[in-house]
Amino acid sequence: MRLGLCCTFLDEPIKFRHATARVVGAKPRPAQRLYLGEIAVANAEALAAAVTWCAEHRIGAFRISSQLFPLATHPEVGYALEELPTWSGVERRLAAVRELARAKDVRLSFHPDQFVVPGSASPAVVESSLAELEHHGRMAELVGAEQITLHGGGGQPDKATALARLERGLDRLSPRARERIALENDDRVFTVDDLLPVCARAGLPLVHDVHHHRCLPGRIEVDEAIELAAATWGAREPWAHISSPKGGWDSKQPLIHDDHVRPSDVPRAWLGRRITVDVEAKAKEQAVLRLARWVAAQARRQAA
C-alpha cells in the first residue's frame, strides 16, 4: 500500500507559484509571457523537489496541481506553452522530473478542478472542459503522469442522460488525454454503482474515494466497492482516495476534510495490498507521514 501526497506542502520549503488574471492582464503581452515563463521554471523546479521529497520519505505518489502552468487556458491571458520564452528550459526540467519519478517509483497524477465537466448540459462548458483536459493531457505527457481523475459532474436532467453526455464528451478527447482519464465517485451525485457501468463500457478505471462513498454510499458496501473498483484497473496498480471528516462522522458537515486521517477510517481491505492511496488531508505532508507510520506499524504487526 503506497500513500500519495496532494499538490502542496504545509511545512516543507517546497512552494509552487501562482498567478492571477488581474495581475497578468495588466502587463504588456511580452511581459506577460516573461512573467509566466519565470513561474513555469520555478514550478518545474518545485515539482522536482516534491518528487525528490516523496522518494526520500517513501511516499509513493504525488498529485500535481492543475496550475503547474498558471492561466494557460484562460480565455484572455492564456498561452501555448511554446510561447513562453523559458520553454526550452522548462521542457528540459520536466523531462528530468519524468525520469526521476520513474527511477524512484513515484506515481504522478492530476485532478482537474470542479469546473471541468465534459458531460455538462452546456455546450460552452463542454468545450472549455475538453480544452482543459487536453491541456492536462499535455502536462501529463510532459511529466509522465499516469492518470487524470474526473468526477462525473452534475446529474441533469437525470443520471443516465448526464453519464451518456460524459461518455460522448470523453470520446472527443485525443488519445493522449483520453487514455489517462479515470473516474471518481463523488459525495453529492454519482456513486460507485452509478459509475461502474460507465467504466465498463468506456474502458475507464475507477478511483474509489472511500470518504465520498461513506457520504453517498449507493447500493454497494465499501469492501465490495474496493474489489470492484480495483478490477477496473486490470493489471495496473489501482488508485484510491482517503480522508476523514472534520469533526467526525456525527458532525453537521461530514463532507469537509480534516487535518489528518483517522486510522479507523482506513479500510482494512487496503492493508497489505498493491494499491495507491492519495491522502486528502489539510495537514498535507504531516498527515501523509503520520498515516504512513500507522500503515508501517500495521504491516509489522501482521508480519509478527
Side-chain angles (χ1 to χ4, degrees):
M1 177 179 173
R2 79 169 79 203
L3 299 180
L5 173 64
C6 297
C7 301
T8 59
F9 292 80
L10 187 66
D11 294 324
E12 291 294 323
I14 301 172
K15 306 297 180 186
F16 292 88
R17 291 178 59 185
H18 304 278
T20 66
R22 181 183 62 82
V23 170
V24 173
K27 300 176 182 291
R29 196 72 168 174
Q32 290 181 16
R33 296 296 180 264
L34 180 59
Y35 175 69
L36 291 165
E38 291 170 349
I39 291 177
V41 170
N43 285 351
E45 292 175 347
L47 181 56
V51 172
T52 298
W53 184 93
C54 287
E56 289 175 348
H57 292 81
R58 303 184 69 180
I59 303 303
F62 183 73
R63 180 187 300 172
I64 305 170
S65 168
S66 294
Q67 297 305 309
L68 183 65
F69 298 102
L71 305 173
T73 58
H74 191 276
E76 297 175 0
V77 297
Y79 52 93
L81 300 183
E82 290 80 4
E83 293 177 359
L84 298 174
T86 59
W87 175 241
S88 61
V90 171
E91 189 175 29
R92 185 172 61 253
R93 287 173 171 84
L94 294 182
V97 169
R98 184 173 64 243
E99 293 307 312
L100 175 65
R102 181 180 302 145
K104 299 297 185 180
D105 192 26
V106 176
R107 303 181 84 187
L108 302 178
S109 68
F110 286 92
H111 196 339
D113 296 329
Q114 298 285 359
F115 68 80
V116 179
V117 187
S120 172
S122 165
V125 172
V126 171
E127 294 306 316
S128 65
S129 297
L130 295 180
E132 189 69 32
L133 289 174
E134 291 294 352
H135 173 61
H136 276 75
R138 176 78 189 284
M139 291 192 294
E141 184 177 67
L142 285 166
V143 301
E146 297 179 43
Q147 56 106 340
I148 303 167
T149 306
L150 278 181
H151 293 297
Q156 299 82 15
D158 57 74
K159 289 184 179 183
T161 302
L163 289 175
R165 286 197 308 263
L166 173 63
E167 289 186 64
R168 290 196 298 272
L170 294 179
D171 283 343
R172 294 175 55 193
L173 291 172
S174 67
R176 175 172 63 190
R178 177 66 170 72
E179 69 187 9
R180 290 180 166 90
I181 297 295
L183 297 182
E184 177 193 351
N185 59 300
D186 63 77
D187 51 15
R188 298 182 185 275
V189 182
F190 292 111
T191 63
V192 170
D193 44 288
D194 290 327
L195 295 179
L196 281 172
V198 180
C199 291
R201 288 193 302 269
L204 298 171
L206 179 65
V207 175
H208 182 221
D209 188 306
V210 70
H211 187 165
H212 292 170
H213 189 148
R214 288 163 175 153
C215 292
L216 187 70
R219 299 186 301 272
I220 300 176
E221 296 295 329
V222 166
D223 283 354
E224 182 182 3
I226 288 170
E227 301 303 329
L228 292 172
T232 66
W233 290 83
R236 297 166 60 194
E237 183 175 330
W239 222 300
H241 296 168
I242 184 70
S243 50
S244 288
K246 188 174 181 64
W249 289 104
D250 294 329
S251 67
K252 292 182 179 180
Q253 294 182 303
L255 305 184
I256 300 175
H257 294 178
D258 207 345
D259 290 345
H260 291 270
V261 172
R262 285 183 288 277
S264 59
D265 289 328
V266 178
R268 295 315 186 255
W270 283 351
L271 298 177
R273 74 186 297 160
R274 179 174 169 263
I275 188 170
T276 297
V277 180
D278 282 349
V279 179
E280 299 183 326
K282 301 296 185 182
K284 295 299 180 179
E285 77 274 18
Q286 291 182 8
V288 179
L289 293 173
R290 178 187 290 187
L291 188 60
R293 289 192 293 270
W294 179 82
V295 170
Q298 301 310 300
R300 289 193 296 271
R301 187 171 293 116
Q302 288 181 352

